[in-house]
Amino acid sequence: MQTYHLPDRTLEILHSPSNRIIFEALGFDNARFVGGCVRDALFGLPRDDIDIATPHPPDDVLKILTQHSVKVIPTGLKHGTVTAVIDNHPVEITTLRQDVSCDGRHADVVFTQDWALDALRRDFTINSLSADWDGKIYDYTKGYEDLFTHTIRFVGNAKDRCMEDYLRILRYFRFYARYGTLSNVDNEAIEACELLAPQLKKLSAERIHTEMLKIIAAPSPMGSLHLMQQHHVLEQILPFSIELSSLERLISFPYPEASHPVLRLACLLSTIPNHEAETLVQYLSQHWKISNQERQILHTYLCQTNQRDALIFSDDQSAKKLIRKLGKHDYIGLLLLHHCSHDSIHDLHRLYTMAQEWAIPEFPVRGSDLMALGFHGRQIGVGLKHAESWWEEHHFLPTKQEILTWSQKHFP
C-alpha cells in the first residue's frame, strides 16, 4: 500500500458539515471517503454524490446514525449500503465487503474489516482510492499513479473483473472517455473488453442505456467511441453501420446544445440510411429502453429528414416558420445536425443566433374571432390555417384587425 495526501484546497471539497456529522458518528478511524469523490477531489472537482465506507456492519450503521439523530434509509442492506440524509443531502455509506460469487450481472458479498480487500474488489484502480478525514489517501492498487498518467486499468485480472459484471466493459469506455488518453491504453483491458463484448447482450436494457449516454455525454468521447468501434464493442449494442465523423463535428461546435447527450446520440446515428431510421428508433426503444421523451426527440431528429433538409437553403423567413412549427429546441437540434454534414458554417452561426434571439410571436387570431365574422363549421379551421399562412408570409407583422379584414375578404 502507498499513501498520499489531498491538498488542503481540495480537502475542503469533502469537508462539508453533513459529512463531518457522519464521520463523527461512525468514528474518524472507522470511516473513509471512497471512489469517485476521492478521484475528483484530487483534480479539485466538486462532486454532489459522496460515498463513504466503514468496517461497521450495516445494521450497526443504521443504529449508530439513528442514535445521532441522522435520518437513514436502508437502501441496499443486502449489499451493505445505507443512505444518510442530512439537510436533504443524501450520502451513501457502505460496509467494507468482498465479492464471493458473480454471474456477470449480480454479486454475492460478505462483509469484512479489511480496507485492502474492499479496494481489491473494485473495478478500476482509479476508483479504489480511499481517504480519511484528514486527507490521507490509501492506495492499494497504484490507482494514484494511473489517475495522473490517465491510464484506465482494471484492478487485478481484467478478464476476471469483466466476467464478474459485464457492465464493466461499458464502464471501462466511460471512464476512458473522461480520464484516459490514447497514449496510455491498457492492452489487457482492451483485449478483455473485446473478448467479452458479446456478453453485453445479457445486460438489462436500462443499464446499457445509462452507460452509453454517459459515454456520449463525456466532454471528449471520440477516443473512447473509436476504441469501441475498432474493438467490436459498439456493434454489440448498436448493430447498425455507424460513422463517427458527424459526431466529432458536432462536438466541435461552440454551442451548449452540442453537449446534450440525446442530440449527440442522434448525431451518432444520423449517418445511417434514411429508410432505416424508424427501425433504429424502434431498436433503441426495445434494447435500450429509451424514454418516451427521448424516443420523440430521436424521431424528430432522425425520421423527419424533410424538415432537416429544408434548412439547407433556408432564408430567415423560412427558418422562422420552422422555428414556430418545431419550437426553438428542436429547430436548433435539427440545425446543428444538418451542419454536422455540411460546410456552410456561416449559415449555421447566423441561423443559430437568430433562433436564440428571436422572440416567437403568437398568432393573434382565434377561432372565436372568425365565428364572430360569420365563419362556421369547417370554415373556421380552414380560415385559421390560411390566415396564419398569410400572416407568416408577411413577416408576422399584420395586426389582428388586418388579419380579420384579410380573412373576411378572402373567405366570405
Side-chain angles (χ1 to χ4, degrees), residues 75-368:
T75 45
L77 279 184
K78 181 181 178 181
H79 291 90
T81 300
V82 303
T83 301
V85 182
I86 302 175
D87 296 330
N88 295 318
H89 182 71
V91 177
E92 280 201 352
I93 304 166
T94 302
T95 300
L96 301 179
R97 56 192 179 174
Q98 287 178 273
D99 295 339
V100 293
S101 65
C102 307
D103 63 3
R105 291 182 296 176
H106 309 98
D108 292 325
V109 302
V110 294
F111 303 125
T112 179
Q113 303 284 306
D114 193 326
W115 289 96
L117 291 178
D118 185 80
L120 293 173
R121 66 165 290 278
R122 296 181 181 270
D123 49 8
F124 307 111
T125 60
I126 65 171
N127 291 338
S128 68
L129 302 171
S130 59
D132 63 23
W133 185 260
D134 295 325
K136 183 178 180 180
I137 296 174
Y138 302 82
D139 181 8
Y140 302 92
T141 65
K142 296 185 179 180
Y144 186 92
E145 178 183 338
D146 287 342
L147 184 63
F148 287 100
T149 58
H150 302 284
T151 303
I152 311 303
R153 187 164 55 86
F154 284 99
V155 174
N157 183 278
K159 181 180 176 182
D160 290 344
R161 293 290 81 77
C162 290
M163 291 180 67
E164 289 167 356
D165 185 352
Y166 298 127
L167 188 69
R168 288 174 173 172
I169 298 169
L170 295 183
R171 282 174 59 83
Y172 172 83
F173 293 103
R174 169 160 58 102
F175 281 97
Y176 180 87
R178 295 193 68 88
Y179 302 102
T181 60
L182 190 60
S183 59
N184 284 323
V185 175
D186 184 75
N187 289 330
E188 182 187 352
I190 286 293
E191 289 171 3
C193 290
E194 182 171 3
L195 175 67
L196 295 170
Q199 304 301 321
L200 290 172
K201 294 183 175 65
K202 296 181 179 179
L203 296 175
S204 70
E206 292 82 0
R207 297 181 88 193
I208 292 174
H209 175 207
T210 298
E211 286 300 318
M212 281 303 299
L213 285 191
K214 287 180 178 179
I215 292 171
I216 293 169
S220 302
M222 296 312 303
S224 194
L225 290 169
H226 277 295
L227 278 177
M228 292 178 73
Q229 190 173 64
Q230 179 183 349
H231 293 279
H232 310 291
V233 176
L234 194 59
E235 66 193 49
Q236 298 296 331
I237 49 181
L238 269 179
F240 295 83
S241 179
I242 301 297
E243 296 180 15
L244 301 177
S245 56
S246 289
L247 178 58
E248 193 162 9
R249 184 168 171 82
L250 174 67
I251 292 170
S252 72
F253 290 157
Y255 308 118
E257 293 85 356
S259 65
H260 194 286
V262 181
L263 179 60
R264 286 188 173 187
L265 176 60
C267 188
L268 180 66
L269 305 175
S270 64
T271 57
I272 68 167
N274 290 343
H275 66 273
E276 292 186 15
E278 190 65 52
T279 301
L280 176 54
V281 174
Q282 292 283 358
Y283 177 90
L284 293 175
S285 296
Q286 179 180 353
H287 295 279
W288 286 28
K289 287 292 190 292
I290 58 175
S291 67
N292 289 335
Q293 181 183 24
E294 289 168 340
R295 177 189 174 94
Q296 182 57 50
I297 293 172
L298 290 175
H299 189 273
T300 297
Y301 289 161
L302 299 175
C303 302
Q304 299 181 19
T305 54
N306 60 322
Q307 292 178 339
R308 187 176 70 190
D309 294 341
L311 292 167
I312 298 175
F313 301 110
S314 283
D315 54 24
D316 287 2
Q317 184 63 15
S318 299
K320 286 178 178 178
K321 290 181 182 180
L322 202 51
I323 293 170
R324 285 195 72 246
K325 179 179 179 180
L326 299 176
K328 288 191 176 188
H329 180 272
D330 284 348
Y331 173 83
I332 288 174
L334 286 168
L335 180 70
L336 296 181
L337 282 180
H338 168 73
H339 283 82
C340 285
S341 54
H342 295 81
D343 295 325
S344 51
I345 195 69
H346 173 72
D347 285 341
L348 170 60
H349 292 319
R350 177 178 59 80
L351 292 170
Y352 176 86
T353 301
M354 183 196 67
Q356 285 284 22
E357 296 179 352
W358 185 51
I360 301 176
E362 183 178 354
F363 184 53
V365 173
R366 298 290 179 267
S368 57

Side-chain angles (χ1 to χ4, degrees), residues 317-318 320-325 358 361 363 385-398 403:
Q317 184 63 15
S318 299
K320 286 178 178 178
K321 290 181 182 180
L322 202 51
I323 293 170
R324 285 195 72 246
K325 179 179 179 180
W358 185 51
F363 184 53
K385 181 178 178 181
H386 285 281
E388 187 169 4
S389 295
W390 178 80
W391 175 70
E392 287 182 337
E393 290 168 3
H394 287 77
H395 305 279
F396 316 99
L397 296 176
I403 297 169

